[in-house]
Amino acid sequence: MRKIVLYIASSLDGYIARKNGGVDWLDDFNDTGEDYGYYKFYDSIDVTLMGNKTYKTSMSLGDFPYKDKKNYVFTKQNIIPQADYVEFINKNIVLFSKDLKTQKGKNIWLIGGTQINELFFNNELIDELILSVMPVTLGNGIPLFTENVKQLKFRLNNEKSYENGVVQLHYSIL
């Protein structure tokens, strides 16, 4: 069965974006030439899942970055928008995702954001978490998880630290 993997970066104080959705603070860590295992991870997946706000943020950064994958964007809108490279889903996210996990293919990347992360964790749909902790504090912003995420236990599979202070933690959900 396929795994759903939340592969994401956060600040030391637990934020994945600024309040306005901006992720410009991540640029400070892109000038080293290090990919933080991204390309290996990207080759291991063939589907992306994301919330509508995360999709809009990715589109504001320029060209859609996941054109070679099957991409699903969860939306609460009754009128389904049309866009290149993505399929918008407004049905039951939990049932849709459970079905997707049973289909043949590579692993599935849950890109985020916060509300989708909570929904997936609370319904035990996430199998692995790969968290890159960036050595920066934002003070406020969009948190990795809401205060409503349920308690889960994790097993550390691997950890890697980089010269610039980034630490990547790879967990399985128990």
Side-chain angles (χ1 to χ4, degrees), residues 10-102:
S10 82
S11 63
L12 278 173
D13 51 351
Y15 296 104
I16 58 175
R18 297 190 188 280
K19 281 189 176 187
N20 67 359
V23 292
D24 58 298
W25 54 278
L26 290 171
D27 293 341
D28 294 340
F29 305 97
N30 290 334
D31 61 358
T32 64
E34 180 62 60
D35 80 343
Y36 306 105
Y38 175 80
Y39 294 110
K40 182 179 178 185
F41 170 75
Y42 192 76
D43 287 343
S44 75
I45 59 112
D46 60 2
V47 171
T48 72
L49 305 174
M50 67 190 88
N52 200 28
K53 289 179 187 175
T54 299
Y55 168 71
K56 288 178 181 175
T57 298
S58 73
M59 292 305 295
S60 73
L61 301 174
D63 206 16
F64 188 71
Y66 316 114
K67 293 178 184 176
D68 61 328
K69 307 295 181 185
K70 180 69 177 165
N71 303 286
Y72 296 103
V73 176
F74 299 114
T75 181
K76 295 177 184 173
Q77 298 176 18
N78 290 326
I79 299 173
I80 303 295
Q82 297 294 312
D84 292 335
Y85 309 109
V86 302
E87 182 178 338
F88 288 87
I89 305 296
N90 73 343
K91 54 187 166 186
N92 186 303
I93 295 172
V94 173
L95 294 177
F96 175 85
S97 301
K98 283 182 178 180
D99 180 60
L100 192 60
K101 285 178 75 168
T102 66

Side-chain angles (χ1 to χ4, degrees), residues 121-133:
F121 269 111
N122 287 349
N123 286 281
E124 299 180 12
L125 291 169
I126 295 178
D127 301 288
E128 295 182 6
L129 167 64
I130 301 174
L131 176 63
S132 294
V133 180

Side-chain angles (χ1 to χ4, degrees), residues 97-121:
S97 301
K98 283 182 178 180
D99 180 60
L100 192 60
K101 285 178 75 168
T102 66
Q103 297 173 14
K104 291 185 179 184
K106 295 181 177 182
N107 287 338
I108 301 161
W109 180 10
L110 175 62
I111 296 175
T114 298
Q115 293 174 353
I116 295 295
N117 295 348
E118 176 190 321
L119 178 73
F120 274 68
F121 269 111

